[in-house]
Amino acid sequence: MAGVKQTRDGAVGLLTLSEPASLNAMTPDLLGALAAAIAEMTADADVRALVLTGEGRGFCSGQNLKASEALGSDIAAGVMRFYWPAFRALRECRVPVVVAVNGVAAGGGFSLAMAGDMIVAARSASFIQVFSRIGLVPDLGSTWLLPRLIGRQRALELMLLNEPLSAERAHEWGLVRQVVDDANLLDEAVKLAQRLAAGPTRALVATRALLEESEHATYAAQFRREIETQAEIRRSEDALEGRQAFVEKRAARFSGR
């Protein structure tokens, strides 16, 4: 598929943004290819986790300004038409998503990295908001995602000052799960994805959904919503296996169903 490479490692699907000449800068074609690749990969029931990374020296350098005209005169409508499907596909993916950040994640590329569930960063990785440098405001979900990951004060610092955030500092601030040597990035990201792929997929994804809902719910409402979800999930094959394995004092063998 143009712009996005797809490979498999057992139950883990690997998606690679493949426009290295532009540091995988966003275009309608690239984001459309990503949305389609996510749909195609997760249509296979045997795929139980995804890894998203970028080819070459950077993860994603943000919006490709040369392609901005393709969004049309109504920028908001163009972004929602061409970009939102990929971001939504990541946030609502039926399997967990690990993002492996190599090199720069700038502007919208920073937003894209945060759209997954967990980030593994190469030591060369850096994160930069960049928007105010060119007189713009953060977009593509940054003002929603970033303060929830690192807090309001630190999010404002990154957005207003445009100072690059190193991989090590991103780890200290809780933005990324781990920092690894560049040569080991994909191996470590796939290893993490394999751990997730071996888990009770429906329960993992339902947990993510509950966390999303909790941002806008009262304690009482979320208390009830958790139990409603629990009542549904407990009938799944994995929940039955988990309880049986507990009784038999053995490791559970989850199937993702």
Side-chain angles (χ1 to χ4, degrees):
M1 182 173 294
V4 177
K5 294 179 179 178
Q6 300 183 47
T7 56
R8 283 277 297 276
D9 187 336
V12 174
L14 176 61
L15 303 177
T16 304
L17 304 177
S18 185
E19 297 289 349
S22 65
L23 296 180
N24 304 307
M26 292 180 179
T27 65
D29 286 344
L30 181 62
L31 270 290
L34 177 58
I38 293 170
E40 182 177 335
M41 189 71 80
T42 57
D44 185 342
D46 291 332
V47 171
R48 294 174 58 192
L50 293 181
V51 172
L52 173 64
T53 193
E55 183 178 347
R57 296 181 297 110
F59 172 70
C60 178
S61 59
Q63 166 72 8
N64 187 327
L65 298 181
K66 295 179 180 179
S68 59
E69 292 183 2
L71 296 175
S73 57
D74 186 335
I75 297 297
V79 167
M80 295 307 293
R81 176 184 176 187
F82 294 112
Y83 289 4
W84 170 242
F87 281 81
R88 181 177 182 179
L90 288 171
R91 294 298 291 178
E92 300 180 4
C93 191
R94 73 158 189 82
V95 300
V97 179
V98 174
V99 181
V101 175
N102 51 309
V104 69
F110 193 162
S111 304
L112 187 65
M114 292 188 289
D117 295 316
M118 297 183 191
I119 299 174
V120 178
R123 297 196 189 282
S124 68
S126 64
F127 302 82
I128 184 167
Q129 281 288 296
V130 92
F131 297 100
S132 66
R133 179 183 295 175
I134 54 176
L136 298 175
V137 299
D139 61 17
L140 303 184
S142 275
T143 61
W144 196 93
L145 292 166
L146 192 55
R148 285 165 171 78
L149 289 169
I150 65 173
R152 180 181 185 275
Q153 186 64 38
R154 285 172 170 167
L156 270 177
E157 178 182 335
L158 293 180
M159 291 173 174
L160 302 186
L161 298 179
N162 284 306
E163 294 175 347
L165 183 68
S166 69
E168 287 77 8
R169 181 59 61 86
H171 182 254
E172 291 175 10
W173 286 7
L175 179 67
V176 307
R177 181 182 186 274
Q178 64 187 114
V179 179
V180 301
D181 291 339
D182 286 47
N184 299 331
L185 177 64
L186 279 185
D187 286 344
E188 291 299 326
V190 169
K191 187 184 301 182
L192 175 59
Q194 287 171 337
R195 284 185 60 188
L196 293 166
T201 308
R202 289 184 59 190
L204 299 183
V205 174
T207 299
R208 177 218 289 151
L210 284 169
L211 285 178
E212 298 274 311
E213 294 172 19
S214 73
E215 295 287 347
H216 312 286
T218 65
Y219 175 63
Q222 193 66 13
F223 192 96
R224 180 178 183 83
R225 182 71 185 116
E226 289 171 354
I227 296 303
E228 291 172 344
T229 303
Q230 194 77 289
E232 177 184 353
I233 291 296
R234 72 187 310 274
R235 295 191 295 269
S236 69
E237 291 183 22
D238 279 344
L240 295 173
E241 161 64 9
R243 294 196 295 276
Q244 187 65 31
F246 180 80
V247 170
E248 297 175 1
K249 298 181 179 180
R250 60 173 173 80
R253 296 181 292 271
F254 298 119
S255 65
R257 294 188 292 271

